[in-house]
PDB file of all heavy atoms in Angstrom:
ATOM      1  N   VAL A 449      69.647 -15.134 151.292  1.00  0.00           N
ATOM      2  CA  VAL A 449      69.394 -15.317 149.863  1.00  0.00           C
ATOM      3  C   VAL A 449      70.493 -16.164 149.228  1.00  0.00           C
ATOM      4  O   VAL A 449      70.217 -17.148 148.518  1.00  0.00           O
ATOM      5  CB  VAL A 449      69.316 -13.954 149.140  1.00  0.00           C
ATOM      6  CG1 VAL A 449      69.207 -14.167 147.635  1.00  0.00           C
ATOM      7  CG2 VAL A 449      68.142 -13.145 149.628  1.00  0.00           C
ATOM      8  N   GLU A 450      71.748 -15.798 149.466  1.00  0.00           N
ATOM      9  CA  GLU A 450      72.846 -16.519 148.811  1.00  0.00           C
ATOM     10  C   GLU A 450      72.958 -17.954 149.329  1.00  0.00           C
ATOM     11  O   GLU A 450      73.382 -18.845 148.588  1.00  0.00           O
ATOM     12  CB  GLU A 450      74.155 -15.759 148.983  1.00  0.00           C
ATOM     13  CG  GLU A 450      74.225 -14.499 148.120  1.00  0.00           C
ATOM     14  CD  GLU A 450      75.629 -13.986 147.916  1.00  0.00           C
ATOM     15  OE1 GLU A 450      76.207 -13.435 148.886  1.00  0.00           O
ATOM     16  OE2 GLU A 450      76.165 -14.140 146.796  1.00  0.00           O
ATOM     17  N   ARG A 451      72.596 -18.186 150.584  1.00  0.00           N
ATOM     18  CA  ARG A 451      72.616 -19.562 151.083  1.00  0.00           C
ATOM     19  C   ARG A 451      71.597 -20.407 150.318  1.00  0.00           C
ATOM     20  O   ARG A 451      71.893 -21.526 149.893  1.00  0.00           O
ATOM     21  CB  ARG A 451      72.315 -19.591 152.576  1.00  0.00           C
ATOM     22  CG  ARG A 451      72.251 -21.016 153.112  1.00  0.00           C
ATOM     23  CD  ARG A 451      72.397 -21.090 154.593  1.00  0.00           C
ATOM     24  NE  ARG A 451      72.441 -22.492 155.022  1.00  0.00           N
ATOM     25  CZ  ARG A 451      73.022 -22.920 156.119  1.00  0.00           C
ATOM     26  NH1 ARG A 451      73.646 -22.052 156.904  1.00  0.00           N
ATOM     27  NH2 ARG A 451      73.012 -24.188 156.453  1.00  0.00           N
ATOM     28  N   TRP A 452      70.395 -19.854 150.108  1.00  0.00           N
ATOM     29  CA  TRP A 452      69.389 -20.583 149.330  1.00  0.00           C
ATOM     30  C   TRP A 452      69.857 -20.793 147.898  1.00  0.00           C
ATOM     31  O   TRP A 452      69.679 -21.881 147.325  1.00  0.00           O
ATOM     32  CB  TRP A 452      68.069 -19.806 149.363  1.00  0.00           C
ATOM     33  CG  TRP A 452      67.046 -20.344 148.406  1.00  0.00           C
ATOM     34  CD1 TRP A 452      66.276 -21.468 148.553  1.00  0.00           C
ATOM     35  CD2 TRP A 452      66.681 -19.785 147.140  1.00  0.00           C
ATOM     36  NE1 TRP A 452      65.461 -21.646 147.469  1.00  0.00           N
ATOM     37  CE2 TRP A 452      65.694 -20.622 146.583  1.00  0.00           C
ATOM     38  CE3 TRP A 452      67.095 -18.653 146.434  1.00  0.00           C
ATOM     39  CZ2 TRP A 452      65.107 -20.355 145.348  1.00  0.00           C
ATOM     40  CZ3 TRP A 452      66.520 -18.392 145.214  1.00  0.00           C
ATOM     41  CH2 TRP A 452      65.533 -19.232 144.670  1.00  0.00           C
ATOM     42  N   MET A 453      70.486 -19.803 147.287  1.00  0.00           N
ATOM     43  CA  MET A 453      70.987 -19.952 145.914  1.00  0.00           C
ATOM     44  C   MET A 453      72.031 -21.062 145.838  1.00  0.00           C
ATOM     45  O   MET A 453      72.062 -21.850 144.882  1.00  0.00           O
ATOM     46  CB  MET A 453      71.566 -18.617 145.422  1.00  0.00           C
ATOM     47  CG  MET A 453      70.514 -17.520 145.271  1.00  0.00           C
ATOM     48  SD  MET A 453      71.215 -15.858 145.043  1.00  0.00           S
ATOM     49  CE  MET A 453      71.714 -15.924 143.326  1.00  0.00           C
ATOM     50  N   ASN A 454      72.897 -21.136 146.855  1.00  0.00           N
ATOM     51  CA  ASN A 454      73.885 -22.217 146.893  1.00  0.00           C
ATOM     52  C   ASN A 454      73.226 -23.575 147.086  1.00  0.00           C
ATOM     53  O   ASN A 454      73.651 -24.584 146.508  1.00  0.00           O
ATOM     54  CB  ASN A 454      74.885 -21.970 148.022  1.00  0.00           C
ATOM     55  CG  ASN A 454      75.948 -20.952 147.666  1.00  0.00           C
ATOM     56  OD1 ASN A 454      76.556 -21.030 146.604  1.00  0.00           O
ATOM     57  ND2 ASN A 454      76.162 -19.974 148.537  1.00  0.00           N
ATOM     58  N   GLU A 455      72.179 -23.620 147.886  1.00  0.00           N
ATOM     59  CA  GLU A 455      71.472 -24.887 148.103  1.00  0.00           C
ATOM     60  C   GLU A 455      70.787 -25.343 146.825  1.00  0.00           C
ATOM     61  O   GLU A 455      70.702 -26.543 146.544  1.00  0.00           O
ATOM     62  CB  GLU A 455      70.474 -24.724 149.239  1.00  0.00           C
ATOM     63  CG  GLU A 455      71.150 -24.603 150.606  1.00  0.00           C
ATOM     64  CD  GLU A 455      70.187 -24.185 151.705  1.00  0.00           C
ATOM     65  OE1 GLU A 455      69.042 -23.783 151.370  1.00  0.00           O
ATOM     66  OE2 GLU A 455      70.586 -24.236 152.881  1.00  0.00           O
ATOM     67  N   CYS A 456      70.303 -24.382 146.016  1.00  0.00           N
ATOM     68  CA  CYS A 456      69.740 -24.740 144.708  1.00  0.00           C
ATOM     69  C   CYS A 456      70.792 -25.398 143.819  1.00  0.00           C
ATOM     70  O   CYS A 456      70.485 -26.307 143.030  1.00  0.00           O
ATOM     71  CB  CYS A 456      69.189 -23.496 144.012  1.00  0.00           C
ATOM     72  SG  CYS A 456      67.693 -22.810 144.755  1.00  0.00           S
ATOM     73  N   ALA A 457      72.031 -24.949 143.940  1.00  0.00           N
ATOM     74  CA  ALA A 457      73.113 -25.535 143.140  1.00  0.00           C
ATOM     75  C   ALA A 457      73.501 -26.915 143.638  1.00  0.00           C
ATOM     76  O   ALA A 457      73.935 -27.766 142.853  1.00  0.00           O
ATOM     77  CB  ALA A 457      74.336 -24.609 143.180  1.00  0.00           C
ATOM     78  N   GLN A 458      73.332 -27.164 144.944  1.00  0.00           N
ATOM     79  CA  GLN A 458      73.820 -28.401 145.547  1.00  0.00           C
ATOM     80  C   GLN A 458      72.767 -29.510 145.613  1.00  0.00           C
ATOM     81  O   GLN A 458      73.107 -30.689 145.557  1.00  0.00           O
ATOM     82  CB  GLN A 458      74.321 -28.107 146.971  1.00  0.00           C
ATOM     83  CG  GLN A 458      75.485 -27.134 147.028  1.00  0.00           C
ATOM     84  CD  GLN A 458      75.763 -26.646 148.431  1.00  0.00           C
ATOM     85  OE1 GLN A 458      75.388 -27.270 149.410  1.00  0.00           O
ATOM     86  NE2 GLN A 458      76.426 -25.491 148.540  1.00  0.00           N
ATOM     87  N   ASP A 459      71.482 -29.143 145.746  1.00  0.00           N
ATOM     88  CA  ASP A 459      70.447 -30.143 146.024  1.00  0.00           C
ATOM     89  C   ASP A 459      69.256 -29.900 145.106  1.00  0.00           C
ATOM     90  O   ASP A 459      68.579 -28.869 145.210  1.00  0.00           O
ATOM     91  CB  ASP A 459      70.019 -30.032 147.490  1.00  0.00           C
ATOM     92  CG  ASP A 459      69.015 -31.106 147.885  1.00  0.00           C
ATOM     93  OD1 ASP A 459      68.596 -31.890 147.007  1.00  0.00           O
ATOM     94  OD2 ASP A 459      68.645 -31.153 149.078  1.00  0.00           O
ATOM     95  N   PRO A 460      68.973 -30.817 144.201  1.00  0.00           N
ATOM     96  CA  PRO A 460      67.848 -30.613 143.279  1.00  0.00           C
ATOM     97  C   PRO A 460      66.497 -30.558 143.975  1.00  0.00           C
ATOM     98  O   PRO A 460      65.518 -30.101 143.391  1.00  0.00           O
ATOM     99  CB  PRO A 460      67.943 -31.824 142.333  1.00  0.00           C
ATOM    100  CG  PRO A 460      68.728 -32.840 143.074  1.00  0.00           C
ATOM    101  CD  PRO A 460      69.674 -32.089 143.951  1.00  0.00           C
ATOM    102  N   ASP A 461      66.426 -31.040 145.222  1.00  0.00           N
ATOM    103  CA  ASP A 461      65.155 -31.011 145.945  1.00  0.00           C
ATOM    104  C   ASP A 461      64.916 -29.686 146.666  1.00  0.00           C
ATOM    105  O   ASP A 461      63.891 -29.523 147.339  1.00  0.00           O
ATOM    106  CB  ASP A 461      65.115 -32.151 146.963  1.00  0.00           C
ATOM    107  CG  ASP A 461      65.088 -33.522 146.275  1.00  0.00           C
ATOM    108  OD1 ASP A 461      64.541 -33.608 145.149  1.00  0.00           O
ATOM    109  OD2 ASP A 461      65.636 -34.487 146.840  1.00  0.00           O
TER     110      ASP A 461
END
Side-chain angles (χ1 to χ4, degrees):
V449 174
E450 287 199 287
R451 177 162 185 154
W452 170 77
M453 294 167 77
N454 281 312
E455 289 169 349
C456 290
Q458 298 168 21
D459 184 356
D461 293 330

